[in-house]
């Protein structure tokens, strides 16, 4: 029992040691995709946070109403920041 415990501890120590370890290179590019249902303060705050995570942030909005979509596009000019807005057509558009 003691030998098995010692073997386990030695195995864990080998996995955790920094001796001979080379960290992985940072990933070259991350994309943040953020679905939105409209423009409100919480969405703007989430967009600003997403911009801290990546230079490539994309907001996805599903067009179910032409007037609402046009309003989103107008609001996006003011509140969207550097985030790309992607509007997807819905087959259930009213």
């Amino acid at each position: 029992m003691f030998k098995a415990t010692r073997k386990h501890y030695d195995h864990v120590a080998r996995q955790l040691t920094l001796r001979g370890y080379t960290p992985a290179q940072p990933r070259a590019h991350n994309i943040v995709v953020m679905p939105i249902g409209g423009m409100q303060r919480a969405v703007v705050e989430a967009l600003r946070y997403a911009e801290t995570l990546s230079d490539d942030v994309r907001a996805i909005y599903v067009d179910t109403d032409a007037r609402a979509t046009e309003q989103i596009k107008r609001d996006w000019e003011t509140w969207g920041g550097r985030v790309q807005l992607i509007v997807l057509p819905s087959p259930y558009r009213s």
Side-chain angles (χ1 to χ4, degrees):
M1 173 81 108
F2 291 119
K3 286 183 179 184
T5 302
R6 179 62 191 191
K7 184 177 176 181
H8 170 71
Y9 285 155
D10 289 344
H11 176 71
V12 171
R14 282 191 304 276
Q15 290 177 325
L16 298 177
T17 186
L18 292 175
R19 197 171 308 120
Y21 173 72
T22 304
Q25 294 297 319
R27 293 186 178 164
H29 186 75
N30 290 311
I31 300 170
V32 176
V33 177
M34 192 175 128
I36 64 167
M39 287 302 292
Q40 56 186 347
R41 186 180 299 188
V43 171
V44 173
E45 291 295 323
L47 291 171
R48 296 300 78 83
Y49 176 70
E51 288 177 317
T52 69
L53 301 175
S54 175
D55 291 330
D56 190 353
V57 180
R58 302 170 193 187
I60 308 297
Y61 179 76
V62 178
D63 176 7
T64 57
D65 177 89
R67 276 191 259 156
T69 300
E70 288 309 312
Q71 184 62 49
I72 289 283
K73 289 178 179 179
R74 284 192 298 276
D75 289 343
W76 203 260
E77 293 175 18
T78 302
W79 300 105
R82 297 178 291 127
V83 177
Q84 176 186 1
L85 174 64
I86 300 171
V87 178
L88 300 177
S90 171
Y92 306 106
R93 185 174 176 189
S94 55

